[in-house]
Amino acid sequence: MSGINPKRMANPMPAWTHVRVTRCNSLVANRSGRLLCVKTWILALLFVVTPTWADWSLNNAQSQLSFVSIKKGDIAEVHRFDQLDGSVDTDGSVTLTIELASVDTAIPIRDQRMREMLFNTNAFPRAILTGKVDASAFKLDMGDIIVSSFEGKLSLHGQSGPVTAELAVARLGPNKLLVSSRKPLVLQAGNYDLVEGVEKLREVAGLSSISNAVPVSFVLTFDKK
């Protein structure tokens, strides 16, 4: 997306706007003229002040967020969340909402146990990630990719904590942006009051151990609104 041209900003009102304003001045002598003037001026003002950029909304069907659970020391299993929502503003502000009840481990009884014992989705239905990415991503040409650092906050299970990540941001098309993790983001269950829930899962499954360290990866697609 191209940036704002300083030369154009120096005279933000285009020439045709001046023409219409001049015409308005000649019409103020009568009531109908004043009405036409007001309508024309409002129309001109809308064209002048409306931003030339748009925000971006997450395409859930083309996005994926997965996490890995590690049990019995070295047995790793990959799971995901099926319902994501989010947006990115042109200043780089990011909001990502994860519906925790959409957890998908490929085993229905385990999904239910995670919803009830781990996440307690009745009380804490969502995890919300907020933060910033490099705003220069919106100036990429199609096919270009940049590496960007991310600093934000994750709200999960009634707790909030800082998170940092390294991202790859790519412009897939004029109306499509891809944001993905370059390496997994490792979350600690203890930072989000989830250790008790992990222990409940371990006990009910009869496992010797479940790791409290959880690697998270994502590939997110955003469409221009």
Side-chain angles (χ1 to χ4, degrees):
M1 181 176 294
S2 59
I4 298 174
N5 190 324
K7 293 182 179 179
R8 293 186 63 184
M9 289 300 295
N11 183 17
M13 190 176 295
W16 58 264
T17 306
H18 290 290
V19 172
R20 292 195 174 190
V21 173
T22 301
R23 289 178 180 173
C24 283
N25 290 336
S26 67
L27 292 171
V28 297
N30 58 72
R31 185 174 180 179
S32 61
R34 282 195 294 270
L35 181 59
L36 178 59
C37 174
V38 171
K39 289 182 177 179
T40 305
W41 174 248
I42 291 175
L43 179 62
L45 185 61
L46 287 174
F47 275 101
V48 171
V49 301
T50 300
T52 57
W53 55 76
D55 295 337
W56 301 74
S57 59
L58 185 137
N59 185 325
N60 184 66
Q62 297 179 10
S63 300
Q64 180 170 298
L65 187 148
S66 59
F67 65 99
V68 178
S69 65
I70 303 172
K71 62 185 181 182
K72 295 183 179 180
D74 58 2
I75 300 177
E77 296 177 292
V78 181
H79 318 298
R80 69 174 188 265
F81 292 99
D82 290 331
Q83 294 181 18
L84 309 173
D85 191 17
S87 63
V88 181
D89 295 333
T90 49
D91 66 352
S93 298
V94 176
T95 300
L96 176 65
T97 301
I98 305 160
E99 297 293 340
L100 299 176
S102 72
V103 63
D104 185 353
T105 69
I107 300 176
I109 186 60
R110 185 164 59 187
D111 296 346
Q112 179 182 348
R113 288 171 178 172
M114 282 197 175
R115 288 192 293 266
E116 296 175 356
M117 299 180 180
L118 180 63
F119 298 125
N120 187 10
T121 55
N122 287 335
F124 308 105
R126 300 174 187 87
I128 300 176
L129 178 68
T130 57
K132 281 221 170 191
V133 295
D134 190 344
S136 65
F138 302 96
K139 301 177 183 179
L140 293 176
D141 294 327
M142 282 187 289
D144 285 352
I145 185 170
I146 64 169
V147 175
S148 174
S149 60
F150 173 85
E151 294 184 359
K153 179 180 72 173
L154 176 64
S155 299
L156 170 63
H157 200 249
Q159 306 295 317
S160 295
V163 293
T164 58
E166 189 174 288
L167 308 177
V169 183
R171 191 67 174 268
L172 301 183
N175 300 314
K176 195 172 291 292
L177 197 68
L178 183 75
V179 179
S180 64
S181 52
R182 291 195 76 212
K183 55 186 179 182
L185 172 64
V186 180
L187 301 181
Q188 296 291 335
N191 293 339
Y192 300 97
D193 196 22
L194 292 172
V195 172
E196 182 178 348
V198 172
E199 180 61 16
K200 288 180 180 179
L201 291 178
R202 186 196 66 78
E203 290 178 354
V204 75
L207 300 172
S208 58
S209 67
I210 298 178
S211 175
N212 286 322
V214 182
V216 179
S217 301
F218 51 85
V219 178
L220 308 175
T221 301
F222 292 87
D223 296 327
K224 185 182 290 186
K225 293 181 182 178

